[in-house]
Amino acid sequence: MDKKIRILGIETSCDETAVAIVDSDKNILANELYSQVAEHEEFKGVVPEIAARLHMGKLEGLIETAFKKARLSLVDIDAIAVTAGPGLIGGLIVGLTYAKAMAFSLGKPLIAINHLEAHALTARLTNNIEFPYLLCLVSGGHTQIIDIAEFGRYKILGSTLDDAIGEAFDKVAKMLNLEYPGGPQIEKLAAFGKYSIKFPVPLINQKNCNFSLSGLKTAVRNYITKNKHITKEDVCSSFQHTILHVIQNRLLHAFEIFDQKYGNIHEKTLVVAGGVAANKFLKSNLTGFASSHGYNTIFPPAKLCTDNAAMVAWLGVEKFKKSEFADLKVAPKSKWSLEEV
Ligand code: KG4
Ligand code: ZN
């Protein structure tokens, strides 16, 4: 039997300072997170300098708490996995430097993690799935469909040409004077509304997997400004239905590509991840849609789909098994495509 491996994961690429310890049996022994949302709120976006300073201030405490919760001491971990990119360079430097110092002083290997690859493989931590599978990543920052061919080999089938889907939810919510983040608010109101407004479905005639949300956003804005008496519930329901059609239409092409490439593998899996995947209307409809095309659908828990360090530690486990260690000289990369890992 293989020895159980325990990995410490550190994530500081954006505005969440996160630390986790995960073992090779898929146990999440600790998963600590400090969200900096409140500190960036007044600036209406993440301020890189503030983010880096907060990572510096919070990291040590989170690491101490993680070891306490896992009932482990520093010597019990097998390696330190840390996000080395892509992300805000200041934050990456803080996390990577901390991890390097720990690896050097403990005499443990360092593992450099691509943040997007960590998102892409989270479903292997939460479920027992094999390669290949399709990943539909829908969040506030990303909207992509990716062919997760095998470990280390990923092909982006399509991306958004403008806004991310979560961003579109947030912007429409703002037009309706709903609270931020808008996704959950729109979902709530939509439950009481009718799908009565036919907004355009962007790119519907294009045979590819790209997304475009800006036209839909403008259509919603025009509807709101042109009509004096609107029912917010109906706008939310109609917008949400349109988003469903957009995703289904793009997935249709992804299924075609995947089916053609892999023929009839006996189990076809679609993983839907990212903040928007928390939407129950989308979840139930996409599950039914994928099933009618022969795909099982997995929605990893929201807590592991949004930025966290458990995904970083888990990719650390996968890389440890393949002895993919980093040199202490490894540099952070603010840009680092999933296709280049
Ligand atoms: O993955 P995530 O937490 O972080 C970023 O990528 O920033 O995604 C956040 C996004 C926000 O735009 C939020 O409005 C959206 O996910 N979201 C939802 C729902 N819950 C969160 N969108 C639609 N329906 C929801 N229930
Ligand atoms: Zn992320």
Side-chain angles (χ1 to χ4, degrees), residues 90-313:
L92 293 171
I93 290 171
V94 172
L96 191 56
T97 307
Y98 207 102
K100 283 179 182 179
M102 279 186 85
F104 181 71
S105 58
L106 293 169
K108 310 264 183 194
L110 178 75
I111 302 173
I113 299 294
N114 176 301
H115 178 90
L116 300 172
E117 186 178 17
H119 273 305
L121 298 199
T122 303
R124 285 168 55 81
L125 164 64
T126 58
N127 296 71
N128 286 320
I129 56 165
E130 300 294 329
F131 301 111
Y133 58 90
L134 259 186
L135 172 71
C136 180
L137 188 57
V138 277
S139 71
H142 310 283
T143 296
Q144 288 188 325
I145 302 180
I146 306 163
D147 166 13
I148 309 294
E150 60 178 274
F151 186 76
R153 207 159 59 81
Y154 315 110
K155 174 109 187 84
I156 298 168
L157 302 181
S159 301
T160 182
L161 306 174
D162 37 62
D163 292 350
I165 290 187
E167 207 178 340
F169 266 96
D170 295 336
K171 286 179 178 168
V172 166
K174 201 169 166 197
M175 294 173 204
L176 296 169
N177 294 319
L178 304 175
E179 273 170 37
Y180 179 86
Q185 306 299 326
I186 290 191
E187 181 177 11
K188 254 186 232 161
L189 285 190
F192 300 100
K194 291 185 298 289
Y195 176 23
S196 53
I197 313 154
K198 297 287 177 277
F199 293 123
V201 182
L203 306 184
I204 190 151
N205 294 320
Q206 285 194 20
K207 272 187 135 295
N208 60 44
C209 302
N210 288 334
F211 293 80
S212 168
L213 278 306
S214 68
L216 172 58
K217 192 181 63 189
T218 308
V220 176
R221 179 174 291 120
N222 288 344
Y223 177 85
I224 294 171
T225 44
K226 278 188 193 141
N227 292 278
K228 279 218 173 72
H229 303 289
I230 61 157
T231 311
K232 283 187 183 179
E233 288 81 355
D234 290 353
V235 176
C236 290
S237 168
S238 303
F239 171 74
Q240 198 174 248
H241 270 91
T242 311
I243 290 288
L244 173 67
H245 291 165
V246 168
I247 301 175
Q248 285 178 335
N249 179 259
R250 305 292 88 194
L251 279 176
L252 215 51
H253 298 299
F255 290 159
E256 247 175 54
I257 295 169
F258 195 86
D259 290 351
Q260 234 170 41
K261 181 168 172 192
Y262 298 107
N264 280 329
I265 51 167
H266 71 284
E267 196 147 271
K268 295 191 286 189
T269 305
L270 167 70
V271 175
V272 187
V276 180
N279 184 299
K280 292 193 183 65
F281 168 83
L282 293 177
K283 187 170 174 174
S284 68
N285 282 287
L286 287 177
T287 303
F289 173 77
S291 166
S292 70
H293 288 85
Y295 283 73
N296 290 325
T297 313
I298 293 173
F299 287 78
K303 205 176 155 194
L304 297 176
C305 284
T306 52
D307 287 352
N308 67 88
M311 67 179 191
V312 173

Side-chain angles (χ1 to χ4, degrees), residues 31-86:
N31 193 14
E32 300 305 302
L33 184 130
Y34 178 80
S35 169
Q36 308 176 355
V37 168
E39 284 92 343
H40 297 288
E41 204 166 19
E42 64 173 298
F43 306 102
K44 305 242 176 289
V46 180
V47 184
E49 174 68 20
I50 294 177
R53 283 168 187 263
L54 284 166
H55 289 310
M56 235 157 51
K58 297 289 176 188
L59 200 49
E60 186 160 350
L62 291 174
I63 291 175
E64 270 176 25
T65 312
F67 276 94
K68 241 183 232 157
K69 285 201 180 161
R71 294 168 186 266
L72 296 172
S73 49
L74 292 175
V75 292
D76 297 324
I77 51 159
D78 294 281
I80 296 126
V82 59
T83 302

